[in-house]
Amino acid sequence: MAIERVDCWKAHGGTQGVYRHDSRATGTPMTFSVFVPEHGEGQLLPVLWYLSGLTCTHANVTEKGEYRAACAEHGVIFVAPDSSPRGDDVADDDGYDLGQGAGFYVDATQAPWTPHYNMWSYVSDELCQLVSAHFPIDLHAQGISGHSMGGHGALTLALRQPDRFRSVSAFAPIANPSEVPWGRKALGTYLGSDEKTWRKHDTVALLEDGATCPEMLVDIGTDDPFYDEQLKPASLEAACAKAGQPLTLRRQSGYDHSYYFISSFMADHVRWHAERLKG
Amino acid sequence: MAIERVDCWKAHGGTQGVYRHDSRATGTPMTFSVFVPEHGEGQLLPVLWYLSGLTCTHANVTEKGEYRAACAEHGVIFVAPDSSPRGDDVADDDGYDLGQGAGFYVDATQAPWTPHYNMWSYVSDELCQLVSAHFPIDLHAQGISGHSMGGHGALTLALRQPDRFRSVSAFAPIANPSEVPWGRKALGTYLGSDEKTWRKHDTVALLEDGATCPEMLVDIGTDDPFYDEQLKPASLEAACAKAGQPLTLRRQSGYDHSYYFISSFMADHVRWHAERLKG
């Protein structure tokens, strides 16, 4: 499980790196970033996985996410994978919401997506093994977060791997993809028309089907242009209430869907995870 | 003095905007960004001007500078102008270190640069008038900072407008441009071969010629690839010592010239300015 270091900077007392490896899951080279704060020799640190939204690579949150100061303060490693396989021989679509940059954290079952679009296997299994082999991660102290499509990914991973993740949060997640245009297009394309197969990739459906996870922290901006049509925070709220799933949902007045929103609350999310991962 | 709002986001409780206007000084449209933290009705706030380095626009620091949390905490307005005039009819050069993106904060006296390359007049006069007409700035509480070429701009402005700026800092400034390749190329091109005319745009020369300003705070990374060849912190240190100019020069171990370096110390610079501007 070799990795290649693409870039590396000292930042906030720690090391911000960008790495590339040949992924078994996707059959492509994959790029991800890792921030490791200053720490003692031999010390293992909690890790916060961050899944990105539509059109994003690892670079968006790495450059604009403003997580490093908080990760340095709390001693948390931050890992940001890409949001899909990429490459000239990887299937793609003209839409920004399908294909490269829009993996939706599922394993595709439909052609022409099947050979490479296995982002579920990638983030739920392969990347964790790879990163823990190369970085000082405490596998008993893992949290996960993400934005929009990546918030969907974070919540579904937390619900399906409750023994792995001790904390979960999301920024403006696509909470009920089966019922919104982005999700119906992507899940229908990658998984086919049998909507039963979509349920394990839909936070609201997973809650209806009995999955639970640690308390969820979710922030969403009241001026998010995708608030009702794509994100459906009220459906998440209702499903959590019905399932008895603890949820802290904060409607942040005046914020939109951008990294200006995410970076405003990132330090708070990192602190929230750190409290749970170090407890 | 009309301005057009190009973009606007809520961020860290305040407002991050991007604005455009027709500049008298440069004869071109100019774009700049302003962050205004949450504040009381009618309240005037201290302002920190930030001048960017080679190749940068307002966008680099706006996206990657990580200043908003600190500006929100301390109640400081942050203004980031572009680093040169731009446009199809504006003289340019194939080099990244001359022409568009490389204004060096001087008023050009040489053709073909004269009509538009008047960044000194722009940042020393016009932009201040413009911004103070549209934003709640306390003109008696102005600080200035910048990076690399913009650090050069910040230090020279502070030395030549000591009544305007009550605080000054810089990240990896070009401290002695008359003696380094970047500076000799730019000053020679914009100001001509008479090196006497360069002195008022050279921090070390200004100190030699008797200029002083409030205590300077300067951070520079020990792994900065331009450390000795272009930045010359030792020359700044010697000139300050000889002139009796108070200087806090911090050689930050392992940091380079990137925004990973800048963002690591930005909050500390904002706090440092706020203490002096609000005192």
Side-chain angles (χ1 to χ4, degrees):
Chain A
M1 291 197 297
I3 64 173
E4 171 198 356
R5 197 179 79 180
V6 179
D7 265 320
C8 187
W9 305 270
K10 185 162 179 184
H12 289 282
T15 303
Q16 177 65 62
V18 176
Y19 306 90
R20 188 160 45 209
H21 70 116
D22 292 321
S23 166
R24 280 182 283 108
T26 68
T28 64
M30 291 291 287
T31 302
F32 60 96
S33 78
V34 182
F35 176 70
V36 180
E38 193 174 12
H39 60 284
E41 178 86 26
Q43 187 187 0
L44 297 180
L45 303 179
V47 58
L48 179 57
W49 303 86
Y50 176 91
L51 304 183
S52 291
L54 287 168
T55 76
C56 290
T57 69
H58 72 281
N60 303 70
V61 72
T62 305
E63 295 177 353
K64 303 179 186 177
E66 302 192 16
Y67 56 80
R68 278 176 291 273
C71 285
E73 180 185 350
H74 299 291
V76 173
I77 287 176
F78 190 99
V79 185
D82 203 345
S83 63
S84 80
R86 297 178 192 272
D88 293 341
D89 63 338
V90 173
D92 202 2
D93 185 89
D94 287 342
Y96 73 95
D97 54 358
L98 198 69
Q100 296 187 32
F104 266 84
Y105 306 102
V106 304
D107 287 349
T109 59
Q110 306 297 306
W113 312 98
T114 33
H116 300 300
Y117 283 77
N118 296 305
M119 288 300 292
W120 178 267
S121 294
Y122 181 66
V123 295
S124 73
D125 180 20
E126 182 183 10
L127 189 63
C128 180
Q129 290 184 43
L130 182 82
V131 170
S132 64
H134 291 276
F135 299 91
I137 281 173
D138 178 357
L139 288 171
H140 302 291
Q142 298 186 60
I144 189 164
S145 186
H147 172 232
S148 194
M149 177 183 75
H152 143 74
L155 296 177
T156 55
L157 259 91
L159 285 165
R160 290 174 59 188
Q161 300 194 318
D163 294 339
R164 175 176 168 197
F165 297 109
R166 284 170 50 195
S167 60
V168 55
S169 75
F171 301 88
I174 305 173
N176 194 186
S178 308
E179 303 294 336
V180 305
W182 279 341
R184 294 190 63 81
K185 179 177 179 181
L187 299 180
T189 301
Y190 298 139
L191 302 178
S193 57
D194 179 0
E195 298 191 19
K196 287 197 300 296
T197 66
W198 303 2
R199 293 186 69 79
K200 64 184 179 185
H201 291 291
D202 182 306
T203 298
V204 167
L206 282 164
L207 290 164
E208 289 170 354
D209 294 345
T212 58
C213 68
E215 179 188 357
M216 294 174 178
L217 170 65
V218 173
D219 277 317
I220 183 167
T222 60
D223 284 7
D224 192 314
F226 309 112
Y227 192 94
D228 278 323
E229 190 193 0
Q230 305 280 12
L231 306 175
K232 294 213 171 292
S235 298
L236 176 65
E237 206 165 34
C240 284
K242 194 166 175 192
Q245 165 66 45
L247 167 70
T248 300
L249 174 64
R250 305 187 298 197
R251 292 173 169 88
Q252 301 287 6
S253 177
Y255 288 87
D256 69 5
H257 200 67
S258 71
Y259 269 93
Y260 294 97
F261 156 63
I262 299 169
S263 62
S264 295
F265 300 100
M266 180 63 88
D268 198 41
H269 281 235
V270 171
R271 181 191 54 73
W272 192 88
H273 283 274
E275 285 171 2
R276 282 150 185 82
L277 296 175
K278 296 161 87 173
Chain B
M1 292 197 296
I3 64 173
E4 171 197 358
R5 196 179 79 181
V6 179
D7 264 320
C8 187
W9 305 271
K10 186 163 179 183
H12 289 281
T15 303
Q16 178 64 62
V18 176
Y19 306 89
R20 189 160 43 211
H21 72 117
D22 291 321
S23 166
R24 279 183 282 107
T26 68
T28 64
M30 291 291 287
T31 302
F32 60 96
S33 78
V34 182
F35 176 70
V36 180
E38 193 174 12
H39 60 284
E41 177 88 26
Q43 189 187 357
L44 296 182
L45 302 179
V47 59
L48 179 58
W49 303 87
Y50 176 90
L51 303 184
S52 290
L54 287 168
T55 77
C56 291
T57 69
H58 71 281
N60 303 69
V61 72
T62 305
E63 296 177 353
K64 303 179 185 177
E66 302 193 16
Y67 56 81
R68 279 176 290 273
C71 285
E73 179 184 350
H74 298 291
V76 172
I77 288 177
F78 191 99
V79 185
D82 203 345
S83 63
S84 80
R86 295 178 194 273
D88 292 342
D89 64 337
V90 173
D92 202 2
D93 185 88
D94 287 342
Y96 73 95
D97 54 358
L98 197 69
Q100 297 188 31
F104 266 83
Y105 307 103
V106 303
D107 287 348
T109 58
Q110 306 298 304
W113 312 98
T114 33
H116 300 301
Y117 283 77
N118 296 306
M119 290 299 291
W120 178 266
S121 293
Y122 181 66
V123 295
S124 73
D125 179 20
E126 181 182 11
L127 189 64
C128 180
Q129 291 186 42
L130 182 83
V131 169
S132 64
H134 291 276
F135 299 91
I137 280 173
D138 178 358
L139 288 171
H140 301 291
Q142 299 187 58
I144 189 163
S145 187
H147 172 232
S148 194
M149 177 183 75
H152 144 74
L155 296 177
T156 54
L157 260 91
L159 285 166
R160 291 175 57 189
Q161 300 194 319
D163 293 340
R164 175 177 169 197
F165 296 109
R166 283 171 48 195
S167 59
V168 55
S169 75
F171 302 88
I174 305 173
N176 194 187
S178 308
E179 302 295 335
V180 304
W182 279 342
R184 294 190 63 81
K185 179 176 178 180
L187 299 180
T189 301
Y190 298 139
L191 303 178
S193 57
D194 179 0
E195 298 191 18
K196 287 197 300 294
T197 66
W198 303 3
R199 293 188 69 79
K200 63 185 179 184
H201 292 290
D202 183 307
T203 297
V204 166
L206 282 164
L207 289 163
E208 289 170 355
D209 293 345
T212 59
C213 66
E215 178 188 356
M216 295 175 177
L217 170 65
V218 173
D219 277 317
I220 183 166
T222 60
D223 284 7
D224 191 314
F226 308 113
Y227 193 95
D228 278 324
E229 191 192 359
Q230 305 279 12
L231 306 176
K232 294 212 172 291
S235 298
L236 176 65
E237 206 164 34
C240 284
K242 194 166 176 192
Q245 165 66 44
L247 166 71
T248 300
L249 173 64
R250 305 187 299 198
R251 292 173 169 88
Q252 301 287 4
S253 178
Y255 288 86
D256 70 4
H257 200 67
S258 72
Y259 269 93
Y260 294 96
F261 156 63
I262 299 169
S263 62
S264 294
F265 300 100
M266 180 63 89
D268 197 42
H269 281 235
V270 171
R271 180 191 55 70
W272 192 87
H273 283 274
E275 285 171 2
R276 282 150 185 81
L277 297 175
K278 296 161 88 173

